[in-house]
C-alpha cells in the first residue's frame, strides 16, 4: 500500500479532529448531567449510549501515524515556504518538530531505542530537528523560498522510503552549518501557561520570606486541625471548639517558625 496523498492526509486529519471533538462534547454533556442531576432516571441509559457512541466513533476515526503527520506538515511547510509565508511556515515547523519528537518517544515506549541497528534512524531524526531549529530561527520572508528545494528532497525521500537520499539531504545541511548553534525552542519544548504559573508560584514561595512563612503556617494549621478533628470523633472528651482552634493556631505559629 502506497503512501497517502496530501488530500487523503488532510481529510483524515480533519476527520480525526471532528471525531475527537465530538467525543469530548458527548463526554462533557454526560459530566454536566451527572453533576447537576445525579438522580436523573435515564442517566444509566445515557451512560451506556455514551460508551457505545465512543466505541463507534473510535472505530471510524482514521488512524494517523507519526510518519503521516510528518509527511503532511512537511508538504504544508514546502507550500508555505514557496509562498514566503513566514507565519504558516513557523506553525508547520513546530508541528513537524513535535511529530519527530513523538516518533522518538514512540521508539522509546516500544523499547526500540536501545537497538543499535536503529542508531542511524535516531541520528537522522536528531539532524532533522537541528535542520528545523535552524530554519525556525533564520528563515525570513526574503529567504524562505530558498529552503524549498531541500525540503522537497526530504519529502520525496520520506514518501519513497529512500533512507539514503534522506540522510544525504539532511547531512548536506548539517555539514554546511555544523558550527551554527541555535537556542530556539519549538512549541512542544516551551512550558505551558500552567507550568509557568506554577514555576512562578514556587519561586515566590521559596524566595519571599513572608509568603514562605504564610504557606508553612497554613499547611501546619490545616494539619493540626485535621488531627484535632479526627481525635474529636474518636475521643469523647476532646471537642473541636474555639479553645481547641486557638491551641492549634498557637502550636502552628511555633512549628512554622522552626521549619
Amino acid at each position: 500500500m502506497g503512501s497517502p496523498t496530501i488530500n487523503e492526509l488532510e481529510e483524515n486529519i480533519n476527520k480525526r479532529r471532528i471525531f475527537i471533538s465530538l467525543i469530548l462534547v458527548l463526554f462533557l454533556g454526560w459530566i454536566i448531567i451527572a453533576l447537576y442531576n445525579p438522580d436523573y432516571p435515564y442517566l444509566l441509559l445515557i451512560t451506556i449510549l455514551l460508551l457505545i457512541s465512543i466505541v463507534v466513533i473510535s472505530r471510524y476515526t482514521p488512524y494517523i501515524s507519526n510518519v503521516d503527520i510528518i509527511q503532511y506538515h512537511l508538504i504544508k511547510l514546502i507550500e508555505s515556504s514557496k509562498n514566503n509565508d513566514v507565519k504558516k511556515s513557523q506553525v508547520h515547523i513546530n508541528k513537524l518538530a513535535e511529530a519527530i519528537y513523538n516518533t522518538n518517544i514512540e521508539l522509546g515506549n516500544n523499547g526500540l531505542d536501545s537497538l543499535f541497528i536503529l542508531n542511524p534512524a535516531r541520528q537522522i531524526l536528531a539532524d532533522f530537528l537541528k535542520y528545523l531549529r535552524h530554519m525556525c530561527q533564520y528563515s525570513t520572508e526574503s529567504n524562505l523560498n530558498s529552503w524549498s528545494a531541500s525540503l522537497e528532497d526530504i519529502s520525496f525521500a520520506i514518501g519513497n522510503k529512500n533512507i539514503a537520499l534522506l540522510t544525504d539531504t539532511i547531512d548536506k545541511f548539517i555539514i554546511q552549518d555544523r558550527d551554527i548553534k541555535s537556542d530556539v525552542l519549538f512549541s512542544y519544548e516551551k512550558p505551558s501557561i500552567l507550568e509557568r504559573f506554577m514555576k512562578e508560584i514556587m519561586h515566590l514561595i521559596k524566595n519571599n520570606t513572608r509568603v514562605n512563612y504564610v504557606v508553612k503556617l497554613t499547611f501546619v494549621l490545616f494539619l493540626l486541625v485535621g488531627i484535632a478533628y479526627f481525635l474529636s470523633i474518636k475521643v469523647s472528651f476532646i471537642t473541636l471548639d474555639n479553645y481547641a482552634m486557638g491551641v492549634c493556631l498557637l502550636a502552628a505559629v511555633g512549628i512554622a517558625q522552626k521549619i
Side-chain angles (χ1 to χ4, degrees), residues 52 66 150 210:
I52 294 174
N66 285 323
S150 60
R210 291 181 180 179

Side-chain angles (χ1 to χ4, degrees), residues 2-19:
S3 300
T5 64
I6 181 62
N7 290 332
E8 291 172 338
L9 286 172
E10 193 159 25
E11 183 180 352
N12 287 340
I13 289 173
N14 289 333
K15 280 183 180 179
R16 189 173 180 83
R17 286 172 181 165
I18 292 171
F19 288 162

